[in-house]
Amino acid sequence: MQEDKKMKVKKGFLAVQVGLEDEDQGGSSSQRFVIPISYLYHPLFKRLLDKAREVYGYHTDGPLKLPCSVDDFLHLRWRIEKESTSDQHHHNHTNHRLPHALHFHSC
C-alpha cells in the first residue's frame, strides 16, 4: 500500500503522510501511504483525524498529514483491516467493537 511520491492515487483511495516531526534534528521521518477512502469512516481512524486537525489544522498542502509514528499507523491499519476481514467473514458490517483502552504511543 506504500506508493512512490510521484504516482497518482487511484479513485477510491487517499494519500496520507505519516510520521512525527523530529524537532531536535530539524527534519522529519515520515512515509507516504495510500489508503482506501473507507478508512475515513472507521472510528479508530476518525480519532487520528481529530488529532491531525488539532496538530495541523484543516488546511495543509499536499497529502493529509497524520501525527503518529509509522509503526503506530501500521498497527492502526492492521486493526482496521483485521476488523474489516472479520466483519466480511461474519457478514456483520455494523458492529465496530472498540477496546476500552486503545491508545497509540505517539497519537
Side-chain angles (χ1 to χ4, degrees):
M1 286 190 159
Q2 227 171 316
E3 296 289 329
D4 184 72
K5 289 183 178 185
K6 295 181 181 178
M7 294 184 73
K8 287 190 174 186
V9 177
K10 290 190 232 177
K11 186 176 182 177
F13 289 82
L14 171 71
V16 295
Q17 195 73 28
V18 177
L20 297 171
E21 292 184 7
D22 189 355
E23 295 176 9
D24 295 335
Q25 296 178 3
S28 66
S29 57
S30 64
Q31 289 184 11
R32 183 176 186 259
F33 292 88
V34 176
I35 60 170
I37 288 177
S38 61
Y39 280 24
L40 297 174
Y41 302 103
H42 193 282
L44 296 175
F45 198 82
K46 283 182 179 182
R47 292 191 346 204
L48 184 54
L49 288 175
D50 288 341
K51 182 69 173 178
R53 181 183 47 81
E54 290 174 20
V55 173
Y56 302 116
Y58 283 110
H59 302 287
T60 60
D61 294 330
L64 175 63
K65 294 178 186 177
L66 300 177
C68 69
S69 71
V70 171
D71 287 341
D72 283 342
F73 176 77
L74 292 173
H75 180 75
L76 174 67
R77 187 175 73 176
W78 173 80
R79 293 281 310 269
I80 292 171
E81 291 297 323
K82 182 180 174 188
E83 249 183 54
S84 176
T85 303
S86 176
D87 285 348
Q88 288 175 5
H89 179 60
H90 296 294
H91 302 290
N92 181 4
H93 297 284
T94 59
N95 188 6
H96 289 285
R97 284 170 278 156
L98 296 176
H100 293 289
L102 178 67
H103 175 72
F104 294 108
H105 296 93
S106 62
C107 296

